[in-house]
């Protein structure tokens, strides 16, 4: 309220606002308070912009039309939570949320998405927390005691000061109440800096010599470039070095300081007009490099690492501005599997650092090991700050039978593991290592060779940089430490150089320089940036210094660099931002004086042809324990001749028992899976489930091993043509599965044919009707001069009989395989013949009515409806139907159609109407004439006459209309060829109705009552009998 009024307003104060005191509000932090704020300011139309309120409820523009935020809605986070649970294969979870807008809305979205993704939620209430007991992926067991607390686990932290004066919180021990009483507390006193900064050990213990040398390499390369007249002439490169001390938090802090151009404290402001940096060289570890790349990525600042090898960083979508002068772990991980395979080890254990570096590298190794037939007994992991998990790893190694361990660890984790293995005297294990620790000097301790002696692993190639050794002992100290040039007494010297005391002890030390393996990577990274700037500044004899170079331009230029450094290495980056994989195979060996040496015994070079990439000189290797003979690492020894291998249930395929062959059977090879039978006897089988034959698929039995399954027959329309098929395949559209469900065959095509029973019956009745009609026509023609024929309009009668015979015959066009012509003919012939028929009946009805009207005194009606008018009316009515049919055939004619909707297993070949409107018009017109005919006949039924034809026409029209009214629902609901049969039945039924109702009474009189076929009887002068 104070914001909206422009100052702090006490209760009861009044403030009249002439000008808006504010234009926008930045805040609140939490969702619930932001909801209150937005509802309060909403009526005043003041925009609220939150930086951290994520509740999805605030996305409702109806309730919060003036709310904005610079953070995504929880809709995405909640759904992403469900996706990550689904991706990790977890289908049984519990949920807990804060009971406010933020928690309730976010959890509601998660629960809906979880339901969609098939994730089951065991509980979603706070009360359930009292009962939880689970293990998280880091290995911690989580449960709450009666007080609502958890097991006490602490790190012992020591405040220490780095060389740059920054304070670091260093772990120097732990307290873990979950361990036995005598193991709960551990303190590494030798690592502690005591009050006043006093040390109990030599100061050099706290200098990471490896990282210090890499920093020196960078300054050496930069000074070399600044002196060069060919590379970036008249341009000097500047730099800033930060020590992250292996801390992710320190790495983030250094990154932010770099991007802002100086150390920015909280609350400081820095406006950047020019990019403070163009590239970052670092980090050392993959996990911190991931953080660094994700932080700098949005600012498009290129990051070039000299030692971050995680394959995850090859993803150009997530890390488009990341480069490295070291190969990705994809190559090293696969090479580890190749070296294990090459040495004949099929039974190994694995341990890796629980971070991006270790998890990604180990995942690639495990996949390759599986491809190469290597069995992994266990695969465990831990992180440097997890002593409890490290203890479990050591216990696993202690209990295992594998004699070879693939250790995908950083030097920190390897050091911790080495300590525990040494304490428990776990030796005799062949270690296979990675570049991160295989040449780490810090691992060389008095007791380490008992554990790591004979270790094999891949290391970055050792390349000597000309002039670097002199630089680190002379030039560097002269330029980097101004205190060394301080004139005056020694006390003043000591005061100025005191802050560098940890480094100055290294001033004359250079023994480690020849062993530096990553120095060339740092050197190449600096030169890569220099060559990028050289091309961007258009340097020839000089550079265009006024050009403003953005970091993104440097990144683009890095993709194109291709140069050779003075050591002879060609430097360029591939599509993932990496370089060609080139490793030395290193073996830990001990000299006669007891010193540990890293001896190269082979190489891996991805730039060579596939058959030349890997070389290992096994005869030069000293194995674990100083042995000259290669150790064996097998789950089971080879089975001798006379036995066969029997895989041990629930264990990898490398673990088996050697079963003697049965009587009458032999095996004459080592490692036989099956014996050879001289008597062709069948071996006894021992399987959980028999193989599923073709036509079935495997369905795993719930709660049982994968070897136990049921064989489920494939569904209709699906097949499986392989033994033990996991899935059935759907047959294509016009195919269906055979009876055995192992092959797709063409679907049966069904239509009403002349050869089937239904078709034969319909053909019979059609021909019978046409024949009967012809006989009646012959009878009428023979009696054409008799009164009954003359009295009933003989001309229309013959035309009606002719049209009825066509109606019977047109039903034949509906039988047989539909073709384009038959489809058009059947419906048009039906429509025209029936209209001709009804037109004749209508003409006869009108004649009856006119005849009786003409008998009235003074009536001359018959002259208006004589024979000529009758013919013309029939022709006119028929031509209208012909016109309708022509339009139908022109616009959208009927056509053959394969109907696969009614039946999945067969195709109904039928005639599609083309235009439903056209067919409806044909039927409608027939119906209109029939109704009109019925009405006129009904009106004429009571007219006096011994033989009133109107009565019979009325009956015939009743039958006709009844048939076609019932036809419509039957036609629509009948499937397949029955539809055609229904239509034919309607044609035949209505035709027989007309034939019998109109002509059978006349035929009866002509054949059996000729005495009534007289003029006197027709005139009513002879008493008539009722029939």
């Amino acid at each position: 309220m104070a914001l909206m009024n422009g100052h702090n307003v006490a209760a009861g104060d009044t403030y009249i606002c002439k000008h808006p005191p504010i234009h926008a509000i930045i805040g609140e932090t939490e969702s619930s308070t932001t909801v209150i704020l937005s509802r309060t300011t909403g009526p005043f139309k003041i925009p609220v912009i939150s930086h951290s309120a994520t509740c999805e409820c605030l996305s409702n523009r109806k309730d919060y039309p003036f709310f904005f935020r610079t953070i995504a809605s929880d809709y995405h986070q909640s759904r992403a939570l469900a996706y990550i649970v689904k991706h990790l294969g977890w289908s049984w979870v519990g949920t807990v949320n804060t009971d406010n807008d933020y928690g309730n809305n976010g959890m509601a979205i998660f629960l809906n998405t979880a339901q969609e993704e098939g994730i089951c939620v065991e509980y979603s209430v706070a009360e359930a927390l009292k009962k939880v007991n689970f293990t998280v992926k880091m290995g911690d067991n989580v449960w709450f005691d009666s007080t609502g607390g958890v097991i006490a686990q602490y790190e012992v932290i020591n405040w220490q000061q780095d060389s740059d004066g920054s304070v670091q919180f260093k772990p120097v021990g732990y307290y873990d109440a979950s361990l036995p009483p005598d193991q709960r507390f551990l303190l590494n006193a030798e690592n502690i800096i005591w009050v006043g900064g006093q040390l109990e050990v030599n100061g050099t213990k706290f200098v990471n010599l490896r990282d210090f040398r890499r920093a020196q390499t960078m300054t050496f390369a930069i000074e070399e470039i600044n002196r060069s007249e060919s590379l970036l002439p008249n341009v000097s490169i500047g730099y800033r070095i930060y020590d992250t001390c292996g801390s992710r938090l320190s790495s983030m802090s250094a990154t932010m300081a770099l991007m802002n151009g100086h150390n920015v404290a909280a609350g400081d402001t820095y406006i950047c007009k020019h990019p403070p940096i163009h590239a970052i060289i670092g980090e050392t570890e993959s996990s911190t490099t991931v953080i660094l790349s994700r932080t700098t990525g949005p600012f498009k600042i290129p990051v070039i690492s000299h030692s971050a090898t995680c394959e995850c960083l090859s993803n150009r979508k997530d890390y488009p501005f990341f480069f490295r002068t070291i190969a990705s772990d994809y190559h090293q991980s696969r090479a580890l599997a190749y070296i294990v395979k090459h040495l004949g080890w099929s039974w190994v254990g694995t341990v890796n650092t629980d971070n991006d570096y270790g998890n990604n590298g180990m995942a690639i190794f495990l996949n390759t090991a599986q491809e190469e037939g290597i069995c992994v007994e266990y695969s465990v992991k831990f992180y440097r700050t997890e002593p409890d998990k490290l203890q479990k790893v050591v216990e696993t190694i202690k209990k295992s039978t594998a004699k070879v361990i693939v250790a995908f660890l950083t030097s920190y984790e390897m050091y911790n593991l080495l300590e525990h293995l040494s304490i428990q005297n776990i030796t005799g294990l062949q270690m296979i290592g990675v570049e991160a620790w295989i040449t780490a000097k810090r691992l060389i301790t008095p007791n380490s060779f008992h554990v790591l002696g004979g270790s094999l692993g891949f290391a970055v190639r050792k390349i000597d940089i000309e002039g670097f050794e002199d630089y680190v002992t002379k030039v560097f100290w002269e330029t980097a430490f101004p205190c060394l040039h301080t004139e005056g007494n020694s006390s003043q010297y000591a005061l100025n150089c005191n802050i560098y005391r940890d480094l100055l002890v290294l001033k004359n030390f250079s023994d480690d320089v020849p062993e530096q393996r990553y120095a060339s990577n740092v050197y190449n990274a600096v030169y890569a940036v220099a060559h990028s700037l050289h091309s961007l500044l258009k340097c020839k004899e000089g550079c265009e210094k006024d050009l403003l170079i953005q970091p993104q331009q440097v990144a683009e230029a890095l993709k194109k660099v291709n140069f050779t450094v003075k050591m002879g290495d060609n430097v360029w980056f591939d599509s993932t931002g990496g370089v060609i994989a080139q490793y030395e195979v290193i073996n830990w060996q001990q000299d006669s004086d007891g010193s540990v040496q890293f001896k190269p015994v082979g190489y891996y070079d991805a730039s060579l042809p596939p058959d030349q990439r890997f070389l290992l000189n096994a005869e030069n290797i000293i194995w674990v324990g100083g042995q000259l003979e290669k150790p064996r690492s097998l789950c089971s020894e080879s089975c001798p001749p006379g036995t066969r291998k029997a895989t041990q249930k629930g264990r990898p395929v490398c673990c088996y028992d050697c079963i003697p062959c049965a009587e009458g059977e032999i095996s004459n090879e080592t490692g036989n899976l099956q014996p050879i039978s001289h008597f062709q006897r069948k071996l006894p089988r021992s399987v959980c489930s028999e193989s599923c034959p073709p036509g079935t698929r495997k369905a795993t039995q719930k709660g049982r091993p994968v070897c136990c399954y049921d064989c489920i027959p494939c569904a209709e329309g699906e097949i499986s043509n392989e033994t033990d098929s996991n899935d059935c395949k759907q047959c294509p559209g016009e195919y269906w599965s055979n009876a055995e469900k192992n092959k797709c065959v063409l679907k049966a095509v069904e239509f009403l044919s002349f050869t089937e029973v239904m078709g034969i019956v319909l053909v019979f009745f059609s021909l019978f009707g046409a024949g009967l009609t012809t006989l009646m026509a012959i009878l009428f023609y023979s009696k054409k001069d008799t009164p009954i024929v003359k009295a009933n309009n003989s001309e229309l009668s013959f035309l009606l009989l002719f049209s009825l015979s066509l109606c019977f015959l047109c039903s034949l066009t509906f039988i047989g395989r539909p073709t384009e012509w038959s489809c058009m003919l059947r419906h048009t012939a039906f429509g025209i013949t029936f209209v001709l028929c009804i037109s004749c009946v209508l003409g006869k009805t009108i004649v009856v009515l006119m005849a009786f009207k003409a008998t009235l005194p003074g009536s001359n009606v018959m002259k208006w409806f004589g024979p000529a008018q009758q013919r013309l009316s029939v022709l006119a009515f028929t031509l209208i139907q012909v016109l309708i049919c022509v339009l139908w055939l022109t616009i959208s004619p009927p056509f053959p159609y394969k109907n696969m909707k009614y039946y999945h297993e067969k195709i109904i070949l039928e005639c599609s109407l083309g235009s439903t409107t056209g067919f409806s018009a044909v039927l409608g017109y027939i119906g209109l004439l029939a109704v009109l005919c019925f009405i006129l006949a009904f009106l004429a039924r009571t007219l006096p006459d011994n033989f009133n034809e109107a009565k019979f026409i009325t009956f015939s029209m009743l039958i006709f209309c009844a048939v076609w009214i019932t036809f419509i629902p039957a036609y629509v609901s009948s499937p397949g060829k029955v539809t055609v049969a229904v239509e034919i039945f309607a044609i035949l039924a209505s035709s027989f109705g007309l034939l019998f109702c109109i002509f059978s009474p006349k035929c009866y009189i002509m054949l059996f009552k000729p005495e009534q076929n007289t003029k006197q009887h027709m005139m009513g002068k002879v008493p008539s009998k009722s029939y």
Side-chain angles (χ1 to χ4, degrees):
M1 298 304 294
L3 273 173
M4 289 192 289
N5 285 301
H7 62 93
N8 294 327
V9 181
D13 288 353
T14 305
Y15 184 80
I16 301 173
C17 183
K18 297 180 180 179
H19 301 284
I22 55 171
H23 292 91
I25 297 175
I26 309 296
E28 273 268 9
T29 301
E30 292 187 355
S31 294
S32 295
T33 50
T34 306
V35 166
I36 297 170
L37 173 62
S38 298
R39 284 177 175 168
T40 305
T41 59
F44 302 97
K45 302 181 179 177
I46 299 173
V48 173
I49 310 169
S50 176
H51 54 283
S52 62
T54 57
C55 179
E56 170 60 12
C57 56
L58 289 162
S59 297
N60 187 333
R61 303 310 283 171
K62 182 178 179 181
D63 295 338
Y64 309 100
F66 303 101
F67 173 74
F68 303 86
R69 53 184 156 199
T70 54
I71 189 172
S73 156
D74 274 333
Y75 173 83
H76 307 283
Q77 180 176 214
S78 298
R79 292 182 67 86
L81 285 172
Y83 297 151
I84 198 171
V85 171
K86 176 75 172 179
H87 178 78
L88 294 171
W90 298 324
S91 60
W92 188 238
V93 299
T95 67
V96 59
N97 62 276
T98 307
D99 189 13
N100 60 9
D101 298 294
Y102 169 77
N104 294 333
N105 280 272
M107 184 53 68
I109 297 168
F110 170 81
L111 292 175
N112 288 336
T113 310
Q115 186 175 6
E116 295 170 4
E117 296 295 329
I119 301 166
C120 299
V121 179
E122 183 180 13
Y123 59 84
S124 186
V125 287
E127 190 64 25
L129 285 172
K130 298 177 182 178
K131 305 173 184 177
V132 298
N133 192 329
F134 59 95
T135 302
V136 293
K137 65 179 181 180
M138 295 85 74
D140 288 343
N141 181 241
V142 181
W143 59 278
F144 301 105
D145 60 21
S146 57
T147 68
V150 296
I151 292 293
Q153 291 176 317
Y154 303 100
E155 282 187 343
V156 180
I157 297 299
N158 180 221
W159 278 45
Q160 298 183 10
Q161 191 175 41
D162 274 2
S163 56
D164 61 355
S166 64
V167 175
Q168 301 294 327
F169 305 125
K170 299 285 187 178
V172 292
Y174 64 83
Y175 175 85
D176 190 345
S178 67
L179 299 177
D182 58 336
Q183 299 178 22
R184 288 180 181 175
F185 180 68
L186 174 69
L187 184 66
N188 298 317
E190 66 272 17
N191 294 341
I192 299 174
I193 292 184
W194 303 100
V195 61
Q198 298 300 313
L199 304 175
E200 287 195 348
V201 293
N202 189 287
T204 58
K205 183 174 180 68
F206 300 102
V207 176
N208 189 322
L209 183 59
R210 184 183 61 177
D211 288 344
F212 180 59
R213 291 297 187 216
R214 292 171 186 174
Q216 287 180 311
T217 305
M218 190 179 85
T219 60
F220 171 74
I222 290 173
E223 291 180 18
E224 193 175 72
I225 292 167
N226 289 341
R227 292 193 304 269
S228 173
E229 295 181 359
S230 58
L231 183 61
L232 291 175
N234 73 341
V235 172
S236 295
I237 299 176
Y239 62 89
R240 185 180 293 272
I241 299 175
Y242 289 84
D243 183 7
T244 63
C245 301
S247 165
R248 298 178 186 180
L249 184 62
S250 298
S251 177
M252 178 67 76
S253 176
T255 302
M256 300 307 295
L258 271 173
M259 289 193 294
N260 285 299
H262 61 93
N263 294 325
V264 181
D268 288 356
T269 304
Y270 184 79
I271 300 173
C272 182
K273 296 180 180 179
H274 299 283
I277 54 171
H278 292 93
I280 297 175
I281 309 296
E283 266 266 6
T284 300
E285 291 191 352
S286 293
S287 293
T288 48
T289 305
V290 167
I291 297 171
L292 171 63
S293 297
R294 284 178 175 167
T295 305
T296 60
F299 302 97
K300 302 177 180 178
I301 299 172
V303 172
I304 311 169
S305 177
H306 53 282
S307 63
T309 56
C310 180
E311 168 62 12
C312 56
L313 289 162
S314 296
N315 187 334
R316 302 309 279 173
K317 183 178 180 182
D318 294 338
Y319 309 100
F321 302 101
F322 174 75
F323 301 85
R324 53 183 157 199
T325 51
I326 190 171
S328 157
D329 276 332
Y330 173 81
H331 305 283
Q332 180 175 213
S333 299
R334 293 181 66 85
L336 285 171
Y338 297 151
I339 200 172
V340 171
K341 177 74 171 180
H342 178 80
L343 293 170
W345 295 321
S346 61
W347 188 238
V348 300
T350 69
V351 58
N352 65 274
T353 303
D354 192 8
N355 61 7
D356 297 296
Y357 170 76
N359 292 333
N360 281 273
M362 184 53 68
I364 298 168
F365 169 81
L366 292 175
N367 288 335
T368 311
Q370 187 175 8
E371 294 171 3
E372 297 294 329
I374 301 165
C375 296
V376 178
E377 182 181 12
Y378 60 85
S379 183
V380 291
K381 57 187 175 182
F382 70 96
Y383 193 62
R384 65 193 67 163
T385 58
E386 299 172 332
D388 52 339
K389 289 185 71 173
L390 173 58
Q391 187 63 38
K392 292 177 183 177
V393 168
V394 174
E395 290 298 322
T396 302
I397 294 173
K398 192 174 182 180
K399 295 174 183 176
S400 71
T401 59
K403 298 301 180 183
V404 175
I405 298 178
V406 177
F408 213 109
L409 302 166
T410 68
S411 60
Y412 296 98
E413 280 76 27
M414 193 65 211
Y415 184 82
N416 294 341
L417 178 63
L418 174 62
E419 277 190 330
H420 281 72
L421 294 177
S422 298
I423 290 170
Q424 299 194 33
N425 196 29
I426 301 174
T427 59
L429 300 174
Q430 177 66 54
M431 292 288 183
I432 305 298
V434 291
E435 41 75 33
W437 68 265
I438 197 68
T439 58
K441 289 280 189 180
R442 68 190 301 246
L443 298 180
I444 301 176
T445 64
N447 296 320
S448 64
F449 195 79
H450 297 295
V451 177
L452 296 181
S455 294
L456 276 176
F458 291 102
V460 177
R461 290 183 309 150
K462 187 165 57 176
I463 299 175
D464 180 46
I465 303 175
E466 183 184 346
F468 180 60
E469 188 169 353
D470 289 339
Y471 174 79
V472 299
T473 55
K474 297 178 183 178
V475 179
F476 173 78
W477 302 99
E478 294 171 0
T479 57
F481 294 90
C483 69
L484 297 178
H485 304 287
T486 303
E487 297 179 359
N489 57 35
S490 59
S491 61
Q492 180 67 29
Y493 168 88
L495 180 65
N496 290 334
C497 288
N498 186 50
I499 60 173
Y500 304 120
R501 65 183 184 279
D502 293 341
L503 295 176
L504 290 174
V505 296
L506 302 172
K507 182 175 182 295
N508 298 314
F509 179 73
S510 62
D511 294 349
D512 65 306
V513 173
E515 297 298 322
Q516 291 297 321
R517 293 180 178 270
Y518 292 90
S520 62
N521 291 350
V522 178
Y523 185 87
N524 293 344
V526 174
Y527 265 85
V529 176
H531 278 275
S532 299
L533 292 172
H534 186 86
S535 63
L536 291 171
L537 293 172
K538 304 176 182 177
C539 298
K540 292 181 180 178
E541 294 181 358
C543 300
E544 298 181 18
K545 295 183 179 181
D546 296 333
L547 291 177
L548 179 61
I549 305 300
Q550 296 296 331
Q552 184 180 4
Q553 294 175 273
V554 178
E556 292 300 320
L558 281 170
K559 297 176 183 178
K560 304 172 185 175
V561 295
N562 194 328
F563 60 93
T564 302
V565 292
K566 64 182 180 181
M567 295 87 74
D569 282 352
N570 182 241
V571 180
W572 58 278
F573 299 105
D574 61 21
S575 59
T576 67
V579 296
I580 293 292
Q582 293 175 317
Y583 303 105
E584 283 183 344
V585 181
I586 296 298
N587 181 217
W588 276 48
Q589 299 184 9
Q590 197 171 36
D591 277 356
S592 55
D593 59 356
S595 63
V596 176
Q597 301 294 327
F598 304 134
K599 296 287 186 178
V601 292
Y603 64 80
Y604 178 89
D605 190 344
S607 66
L608 299 177
D611 57 338
Q612 301 175 22
R613 288 179 181 174
F614 179 63
L615 175 67
L616 185 66
N617 299 317
E619 63 274 8
N620 296 339
I621 298 175
I622 300 295
W623 303 101
V624 59
Q627 301 297 315
L628 297 177
E629 186 178 343
K630 182 180 68 175
R632 305 183 71 222
S633 184
L634 304 169
C635 183
S636 300
E637 294 292 336
S638 296
C639 291
T643 63
R644 64 179 179 85
K645 293 197 295 186
T647 304
Q648 297 173 358
K649 188 174 182 181
R651 304 198 68 191
V653 293
C654 307
C655 303
Y656 46 83
D657 297 316
C658 297
I659 307 298
C661 294
E663 293 297 327
E665 296 177 337
I666 66 164
S667 68
N668 53 10
E669 294 178 0
T670 300
N672 253 6
L673 285 172
Q674 292 183 351
I676 303 169
S677 174
H678 284 295
F679 302 99
Q680 300 300 315
R681 286 174 24 183
K682 284 191 175 180
L683 290 173
R685 303 189 71 231
S686 179
V687 293
C688 182
S689 300
E690 294 293 336
S691 295
C692 290
T696 63
R697 64 176 177 84
K698 294 198 296 186
T700 305
Q701 296 173 357
K702 189 174 181 181
R704 304 196 68 191
V706 292
C707 309
C708 303
Y709 46 82
D710 297 316
C711 296
I712 308 299
C714 292
E716 295 294 329
E718 295 181 346
I719 65 158
S720 67
N721 52 10
E722 297 176 356
T723 301
D724 287 334
S725 179
N726 289 320
D727 296 295
C728 295
K729 302 173 185 176
Q730 184 73 40
C731 288
E734 295 190 12
Y735 288 82
W736 196 248
S737 55
N738 60 357
E740 293 78 21
K741 307 291 179 59
N742 59 5
K743 186 168 65 173
C744 287
V745 295
L746 281 169
K747 289 181 180 179
V749 179
E750 185 179 86
F751 56 88
L752 187 60
S753 68
F754 289 101
T755 56
E756 60 183 292
V757 176
M758 188 187 298
I760 292 171
V761 171
L762 292 173
V763 168
F764 170 77
F765 279 105
S766 178
L767 295 176
F768 175 74
L772 191 60
T773 306
T774 304
L775 290 175
M776 285 187 180
I778 293 170
L779 178 61
F780 263 64
Y781 184 78
S782 64
K783 303 291 185 179
K784 67 179 184 298
D785 296 325
T786 60
I788 196 168
V789 175
K790 289 182 177 181
N792 286 284
N793 198 331
S794 60
E795 188 174 342
L796 286 179
S797 294
F798 283 116
L799 187 57
L800 178 57
L801 287 168
F802 172 70
S803 63
L804 280 172
S805 64
L806 293 179
C807 288
F808 283 115
L809 293 174
C810 82
S811 64
L812 297 177
T813 62
F814 288 83
I815 305 173
R817 188 182 188 91
T819 63
E820 189 174 346
W821 284 103
S822 67
C823 287
M824 290 190 289
L825 178 62
R826 63 172 60 171
H827 290 101
T828 53
F830 153 72
I832 293 170
T833 54
F834 261 80
V835 165
L836 178 61
C837 180
I838 300 300
S839 299
C840 293
V841 176
L842 183 60
K844 290 173 71 67
T845 307
I846 295 172
V847 167
V848 172
L849 281 173
M850 295 299 181
F852 280 98
K853 291 286 184 182
T855 60
L856 298 175
S859 176
N860 58 351
V861 155
M862 282 306 294
K863 76 176 184 179
W864 299 105
F865 203 74
Q869 285 80 7
Q870 293 169 23
R871 296 189 205 100
L872 189 60
S873 65
V874 172
L875 180 62
F877 287 136
T878 307
L879 282 176
I880 292 172
Q881 183 73 310
V882 171
L883 180 61
I884 293 172
C885 290
V886 169
L887 288 173
W888 181 14
L889 295 178
T890 303
I891 296 170
S892 181
F895 58 90
Y897 170 66
K898 293 180 179 179
N899 191 336
M900 291 181 277
K901 295 180 181 177
Y902 284 122
Y903 303 103
H904 294 296
E905 71 278 7
K906 58 186 175 183
I907 300 172
I908 305 299
L909 191 59
E910 60 187 17
C911 285
S912 174
L913 295 175
S915 170
T916 307
T917 305
F919 184 62
S920 301
V922 168
L923 284 183
Y925 184 61
I926 295 172
L928 176 65
L929 293 181
V931 170
L932 180 61
C933 187
F934 171 72
I935 292 171
L936 294 178
F938 184 77
L939 293 175
R941 77 191 187 287
T942 57
L943 295 176
D945 191 3
N946 277 344
F947 191 79
N948 188 355
E949 195 175 32
K951 296 177 183 178
F952 305 119
I953 293 174
T954 303
F955 288 128
S956 67
M957 286 299 104
L958 276 173
I959 295 171
F960 185 89
C961 291
V963 167
W964 287 102
I965 288 171
T966 55
F967 159 77
I968 294 172
Y971 180 83
V972 171
S973 61
S974 299
K977 63 183 180 181
V978 180
T979 307
V980 180
V982 167
E983 194 167 358
I984 295 173
F985 175 79
I987 293 171
L988 295 177
S990 56
S991 299
F992 276 115
L994 289 171
L995 182 65
F996 286 126
C997 287
I998 296 174
F999 291 102
S1000 61
K1002 300 178 180 64
C1003 292
Y1004 177 76
I1005 291 173
M1006 285 187 285
L1007 293 175
F1008 303 108
K1009 297 290 183 178
E1011 67 276 8
Q1012 293 182 12
N1013 191 5
T1014 62
K1015 189 173 183 180
Q1016 292 80 5
H1017 190 274
M1018 295 301 296
M1019 296 298 292
K1021 294 181 181 181
V1022 178
S1024 62
K1025 298 178 182 179
S1026 61
Y1027 298 97

